[in-house]
Amino acid sequence: MVAPAALRVVRCGGSPRHAARAVFSADSYLLCASGDFVKMYNLATEETLQLMGGHGGLVTGVQLNPHNCMQLYSSSLDGNIKLWDFMDGIPIKTFTVGHKLLALYAIASSEDSVFVVIPKIGERDTFQLVSVKLTKAAGQDLEAKELSVVLDSVDASPKCIAFGREGEYVASVKEVNLQVYFFKQKQLNRFSVNAVKAKSGNNHFTCVACHPKEDCIATGHADGKIRLWRNFYHRKEYTFSTLHWHHDTVMDLVFSVEGTSLLSGGVESVLVLWHNESDCQKDFLPRLGSAIEYISMSPDGAFCCTLHMDNRITIINSNLRFSKSIQGLIKSMDVKTGLVIDPRTKALVLNGEPGHLQFYSLQSDQQLFSLDIVQRQYIHQAGLNQVDLVKVAFSARGKWLATVEEREEVTDPELQLKLWFYDEETQSFKLNTRINLPHEDHITDVCFRDVDELEDDSLILVTTGRDGVFKVWVMVEDTDPEAQQSVSWSCDFVGSYRNYQATNCCFSEDGSLLAVSFEETVTVWDSVTWDLKCTFCHPPGKIRNICFGRLTCSKYLIGATDYGFLCCWNLLSCALEWSTHLNILVLQPDPLSECIAAISWLSKESSLFVFKPNEPRPIYIQRNLCKEKIQLAAFVPRDEPEMISAEKYFWLRRSQLFFLTDTQELMTLSTKSSEERLTPASKQLAVEEGLLVTPFSLLLGKHRRQQSQEDVGKLVAHSKHGQDSPAVKELLHTPAHVLPSASFLCPIFINSLLISKEDKSAEEVADEVEMESENTEDDSDEERGVAEMEQENTNPMGLLGETICKLSKSQEKELRKIRKMDYSWISAF
């Protein structure tokens, strides 16, 4: 029995693509790191062609194999280097280094080794550039423990190391120092920007690039300057020139393929093309969206791509013209909307660009579209109080969308509640109702009554605010003949409880009850009459989250307080069912089961508790889920139920749990091992010796293993006999102009390839032959059936021998007619 795989956290779609520089393949595919995976994109269609998984940590480097353009190296924090056939997504080899790998470099001059950046043993925040020898031994899982230090005290960023012309030297920058190491001479030269007496500004190095044809090194600096270093073979006779356009940090540099131009990017979101290394000749491509983190050039120079801080990839033509953009999950300044699921597209909906709502596909790791909610120009300046999107809610079927936007003001805040209707013709949301100042203070929560049957008849929206009230909004027909909308939204009811601030609200599964929390008290209201039914209070602490149970647990109400209590109340008995002491930050019910996920934060680690309200103990506990603080979570329904063998993971069969950390990394839980999450062609890792690793060979190998040794022996014997058979000889050795027709040769040739079943004993075969001989006088269907059976069970090896001749069907019919003839008249003679 194979033990079920443990539940593990994986960085899924939405992981930052700027952890490493992207690379172009020879046929213009784009390969880049994306969390724990390596992705391959089709530049023509922007489609994700391959998702290569198997690393147990963040992928920190991707490099084409310089000796095979169809293979790719990848490195990860898990300490492994993987060699891929990226066109098929198949891992060829895995090299275990045993250290955290922070950057990866592969150059053509090193045949059996690559270069990586690893932490220095025994020292904190100190890193080394080392050469790793990749053994050529047989097998797929190999150890690469033969390391040699090239440079000491390097920066951990991949942008701070570059290899020079034909791999003759390597340049490294850190803080205010530049190191150049020459491999053949084994000489190390150090330079410092302080020694060149810079006049002003922050002179720290930020990135480095080497000219592909000449001995020239370009370095970027925090003050926006670019320095071009020459004659650095000599420690005192070096020269440099300066290029300056960027007003802030130069984020990355790259030379063109021929070295005639230099590309630079920074926080201005502008790509700068420097011609002939001149400060006077430069072109610009502005408004690329966000700060440029990495720049990559295709091998033929036809394209370059920029990786941005907001998780966007921009493809640019060689003439500095925008081609297309691949947008992942945008990292906004603060996700105030939470993680919401669009019922229509099953997309993840949350804050995107300032004032926008992004619809993000979890399957393709791409943004479906962005909806401008605020519809105002955003000013990129720190300290300004600008209007921001803070709350989002969808109706049950996704026809209606409610958004809340506000401007952070100490007094008299600016608030707007907007209701959007999904237009089937335009396939987008249109603004239906705008409500200015729906509450007198900030809105704390918003929710629709989640009942499919009642959506068209009596759709209800509830908002809660710090002004101490909750408001019920309903649709009404617009009586104005000049109105563009047939319906609009208006306030139908206002509720409060002892002038406490209203903090959270949610409806029960059937929509009959509404729960509203007022600081330390939870109130339950009838959603038809709006009568207060009961109140629950469990001090100390204000209510942080509330939710109703579902399905068989619909009679329970669960709440979490900011003092670290998780409580469950019984709605039938109006009493506390149970409580526990947990600092719950996230409380998320599964819409397809009774399970509820609670995520706590304690001792600088996040833990997961999955429970059903009617059971006193959790059905699953995962301590130390991750070191980051989890802020938001969401259950996403699966297209098809997952096949899970372990009973404790059954709560993941119909829904998948995603969560967002305070560093805005989107993660999920997986019960599959690394190998199981690979593409189907790469699942079978063990193949026969000497067999090429191709999908067809893997399929053929699986079929061969199912055969017994006896069948294989028969197949070999038959194939040898087939080569010596008269049928094959007649086909291969007879001149073509004297060959008989194909209809005559094909049956003989096909029969020569057949293998006899040999299921029956010799006595049974003899009895059948004797029986047939006794019935030869009868020309019926039964006789023909027996004849055909005899033909099928006859050994073709015997029939195709040198002495036995095989009769065709027409000849057999003629023979039967001759047997039926009456030859008694011959006796008269």
Side-chain angles (χ1 to χ4, degrees):
M1 294 293 292
V2 179
L7 198 65
R8 63 187 300 266
V9 178
V10 294
R11 292 176 178 85
C12 57
S15 298
R17 297 190 178 98
H18 52 77
R21 182 179 278 110
V23 295
F24 287 88
S25 68
D27 41 7
S28 295
Y29 292 110
L30 184 67
L31 300 122
C32 67
S34 179
D36 295 354
F37 302 90
V38 179
K39 291 191 174 181
M40 183 174 75
Y41 293 98
N42 187 331
L43 295 184
T45 63
E46 306 175 23
E47 179 187 4
T48 303
L49 298 179
Q50 294 290 350
L51 179 64
M52 290 169 274
H55 281 295
L58 186 71
V59 176
T60 56
V62 288
Q63 290 282 311
L64 288 177
N65 185 351
H67 308 288
N68 188 337
C69 63
M70 303 306 292
Q71 294 179 353
L72 178 81
Y73 286 110
S74 66
S75 64
S76 170
L77 293 179
D78 63 0
N80 293 329
I81 298 174
K82 286 184 177 291
L83 179 64
W84 302 87
D85 177 356
F86 59 83
M87 293 302 296
D88 293 325
I90 299 175
I92 302 173
K93 290 182 181 294
T94 299
F95 302 94
T96 302
V97 181
H99 301 272
K100 285 187 176 181
L101 308 180
L102 304 171
L104 173 69
Y105 310 92
I107 58 176
S109 59
S110 299
E111 291 190 8
D112 58 348
S113 62
V114 295
F115 297 87
V116 295
V117 175
I118 63 173
K120 189 173 183 179
I121 300 175
E123 297 186 25
R124 187 176 181 183
D125 296 332
T126 305
F127 306 95
Q128 296 174 315
L129 176 68
V130 300
S131 174
V132 181
K133 186 174 182 180
L134 303 181
T135 176
K136 295 183 179 180
Q140 287 196 325
D141 294 321
L142 306 172
E143 288 192 354
K145 302 295 185 180
E146 190 173 339
L147 309 179
S148 58
V149 178
V150 178
L151 283 176
D152 211 348
S153 185
V154 301
D155 197 284
S157 173
K159 297 181 290 187
C160 293
I161 294 176
F163 286 82
R165 175 175 56 90
E166 297 179 358
E168 292 185 0
Y169 57 89
V170 57
S172 169
V173 295
K174 182 181 181 183
E175 297 177 351
V176 294
N177 299 312
L178 167 64
Q179 298 183 86
V180 183
Y181 179 75
F182 302 93
F183 289 99
K184 291 183 179 179
Q185 298 83 357
K186 295 184 179 180
Q187 177 185 350
L188 177 63
N189 291 347
R190 291 187 176 93
F191 309 95
S192 174
V193 290
N194 290 338
V196 300
K197 297 181 181 180
K199 294 181 180 179
S200 62
N202 185 354
N203 296 316
H204 281 67
F205 289 95
T206 56
C207 54
V208 63
C210 293
H211 198 287
K213 306 292 184 181
E214 303 174 3
D215 291 331
C216 175
I217 298 175
T219 59
H221 298 262
D223 59 359
K225 293 181 181 179
I226 300 172
R227 289 180 171 87
L228 299 173
W229 302 74
R230 295 183 182 275
N231 202 28
F232 42 80
Y233 286 92
H234 307 282
R235 297 185 180 182
K236 295 183 179 181
E237 298 178 6
Y238 63 87
T239 61
F240 72 90
S241 58
T242 304
L243 307 176
H244 194 190
W245 178 88
H246 298 277
H247 79 277
D248 210 326
T249 303
V250 179
M251 302 290 287
D252 198 17
L253 294 168
V254 66
F255 281 96
S256 62
V257 176
E258 297 298 328
T260 57
S261 59
L262 175 68
L263 291 166
S264 65
V267 297
E268 304 89 358
S269 306
V270 177
L271 183 65
V272 185
L273 177 64
W274 307 84
H275 296 281
N276 301 318
E277 302 170 8
S278 172
D279 201 7
C280 301
Q281 302 179 20
K282 52 183 176 291
D283 293 321
F284 307 95
L285 181 61
R287 295 183 292 275
L288 293 179
S290 66
I292 297 173
E293 183 74 12
Y294 285 98
I295 307 172
S296 302
M297 184 70 67
S298 64
D300 57 0
F303 295 99
C304 74
C305 81
T306 55
L307 274 64
H308 298 261
M309 292 294 293
D310 67 351
N311 225 9
R312 176 183 300 159
I313 301 175
T314 303
I315 310 299
I316 301 165
N317 293 327
S318 58
N319 58 358
L320 213 63
R321 294 290 182 268
F322 174 84
S323 176
K324 52 181 61 70
S325 177
I326 302 173
Q327 177 65 72
L329 182 68
I330 293 179
K331 288 194 170 185
S332 60
M333 297 298 294
D334 189 11
V335 183
K336 299 178 181 179
T337 61
L339 300 183
V340 185
I341 305 301
D342 179 16
R344 287 181 167 272
T345 61
K346 299 299 186 293
L348 195 66
V349 181
L350 67 162
N351 291 102
E353 298 178 18
H356 287 67
L357 199 62
Q358 63 171 320
F359 290 71
Y360 167 76
S361 172
L362 293 163
Q363 289 74 26
S364 63
D365 186 21
Q366 293 187 22
Q367 186 183 109
L368 299 179
F369 62 94
S370 179
L371 183 63
D372 189 357
I373 302 296
V374 175
Q375 298 178 350
R376 296 185 188 182
Q377 185 66 35
Y378 184 83
I379 301 174
H380 293 267
Q381 182 175 342
L384 290 180
N385 289 332
Q386 304 185 71
V387 178
D388 198 8
L389 180 63
V390 295
K391 299 295 177 185
V392 168
F394 283 93
S395 62
R397 286 181 285 182
K399 288 185 178 180
W400 288 93
L401 168 66
T403 61
V404 177
E405 56 195 66
E406 66 178 29
R407 186 197 302 272
E408 281 287 347
E409 297 288 350
V410 178
T411 59
D412 194 19
E414 181 182 340
L415 299 172
Q416 275 196 352
L417 172 64
K418 292 180 179 178
L419 279 304
W420 306 75
F421 177 76
Y422 187 80
D423 189 354
E424 295 287 351
E425 294 182 0
T426 61
Q427 295 289 298
S428 63
F429 285 95
K430 287 187 176 181
L431 183 61
N432 176 270
T433 305
R434 178 189 288 110
I435 303 170
N436 293 316
L437 205 63
H439 286 258
E440 295 180 0
D441 205 341
H442 294 287
I443 294 177
T444 56
D445 203 0
V446 56
C447 69
F448 279 96
R449 183 162 64 176
D450 193 15
V451 180
D452 288 336
E453 294 79 11
L454 301 178
E455 182 171 345
D456 296 330
D457 300 325
S458 57
L459 192 61
I460 295 175
L461 175 70
V462 174
T463 58
T464 59
R466 295 180 188 172
D467 55 356
V469 300
F470 73 91
K471 292 187 177 182
V472 179
W473 308 85
V474 296
M475 283 191 297
V476 295
E477 294 185 3
D478 202 329
T479 57
D480 187 358
E482 298 182 358
Q484 298 180 354
Q485 310 287 348
S486 59
V487 294
S488 60
W489 291 76
S490 66
C491 183
D492 182 63
F493 179 77
V494 178
S496 63
Y497 183 78
R498 297 183 179 179
N499 294 325
Y500 292 156
Q501 289 186 358
T503 53
N504 297 277
C505 62
C506 66
F507 279 96
S508 61
E509 186 178 15
D510 60 359
S512 61
L513 297 176
L514 170 69
V516 182
S517 62
F518 290 90
E519 298 184 8
E520 297 182 355
T521 305
V522 179
T523 61
V524 181
W525 306 74
D526 189 321
S527 64
V528 178
T529 62
W530 299 117
D531 293 334
L532 179 61
K533 292 297 183 181
C534 62
T535 60
F536 300 109
C537 184
H538 187 74
K542 294 182 180 180
I543 302 297
R544 181 182 286 165
N545 295 298
I546 56 172
C547 68
F548 281 94
R550 293 178 176 269
L551 302 176
T552 60
C553 300
S554 59
K555 64 179 180 179
Y556 298 102
L557 178 66
I558 297 90
T561 70
D562 58 2
Y563 269 43
F565 284 94
L566 179 64
C567 309
C568 177
W569 294 282
N570 191 318
L571 296 173
L572 299 181
S573 62
C574 295
L576 180 66
E577 189 80 9
W578 54 263
S579 67
T580 184
H581 190 63
L582 282 174
N583 183 29
I584 300 298
L585 298 183
V586 178
L587 194 65
Q588 186 64 39
D590 181 8
L592 301 180
S593 71
E594 298 93 343
C595 298
I596 298 175
I599 300 175
S600 68
W601 173 252
L602 184 64
S603 301
K604 295 184 179 181
E605 68 179 36
S606 296
S607 299
L608 171 66
F609 301 87
V610 181
F611 64 94
K612 293 182 179 180
N614 61 344
E615 298 179 4
R617 293 185 178 181
I619 60 176
Y620 180 77
I621 299 176
Q622 177 71 49
R623 303 280 186 182
N624 192 14
L625 186 67
C626 65
K627 295 297 183 182
E628 295 86 359
K629 192 175 183 179
I630 298 175
Q631 292 182 322
L632 303 166
F635 275 101
V636 180
R638 300 182 188 272
D639 295 332
E640 294 182 359
E642 188 81 7
M643 298 300 295
I644 297 176
S645 57
E647 185 177 354
K648 61 180 179 179
Y649 302 145
F650 275 179
W651 57 278
L652 284 173
R653 288 187 69 251
R654 302 186 64 187
S655 300
Q656 189 173 3
L657 181 63
F658 292 85
F659 49 90
L660 195 72
T661 65
D662 54 354
T663 58
Q664 295 196 27
E665 284 190 291
L666 187 66
M667 301 181 178
T668 188
L669 297 172
S670 175
T671 58
K672 298 181 180 179
S673 63
S674 301
E675 290 76 13
E676 290 175 327
R677 289 187 283 111
L678 303 182
T679 54
S682 62
K683 289 181 181 179
Q684 178 61 44
L685 299 180
V687 295
E688 297 177 14
E689 287 292 331
L691 199 63
L692 294 177
V693 184
T694 63
F696 181 75
S697 66
L698 293 174
L699 180 63
L700 184 61
K702 179 180 179 181
H703 176 70
R704 285 176 175 175
R705 283 189 296 273
Q706 292 176 352
Q707 294 180 333
S708 63
Q709 293 295 330
E710 183 180 356
D711 292 337
V712 174
K714 291 179 181 179
L715 182 61
V716 173
H718 177 64
S719 63
K720 291 181 179 179
H721 177 82
Q723 293 176 359
D724 299 332
S725 68
V728 175
K729 286 184 177 180
E730 188 174 4
L731 282 173
L732 298 180
H733 301 291
T734 305
H737 64 281
V738 296
L739 276 175
S741 64
S743 60
F744 177 79
L745 290 176
C746 282
I748 301 175
F749 177 70
I750 296 299
N751 286 326
S752 70
L753 302 179
L754 296 177
I755 302 174
S756 62
K757 295 182 180 178
E758 297 182 355
D759 293 332
K760 299 181 181 180
S761 62
E763 291 80 8
E764 292 174 339
V765 175
D767 292 340
E768 288 188 7
V769 173
E770 183 180 357
M771 187 182 298
E772 183 188 359
S773 63
E774 294 174 356
N775 296 328
T776 51
E777 300 297 328
D778 185 10
D779 188 17
S780 61
D781 294 338
E782 182 179 358
E783 178 200 40
R784 286 193 294 270
V786 173
E788 292 174 2
M789 183 182 300
E790 178 193 14
Q791 179 180 342
E792 291 178 0
N793 289 283
T794 305
N795 190 345
M797 297 178 65
L799 293 179
L800 291 174
E802 296 293 336
T803 58
I804 301 176
C805 181
K806 172 69 177 176
L807 298 178
S808 65
K809 290 185 178 180
S810 60
Q811 291 174 335
E812 288 179 353
K813 289 182 179 180
E814 292 294 330
L815 183 60
R816 291 193 192 101
K817 291 180 181 179
I818 293 174
R819 285 176 178 175
K820 293 178 182 179
M821 288 183 180
D822 186 9
Y823 296 102
S824 60
W825 57 272
I826 299 179
S827 60
F829 297 95

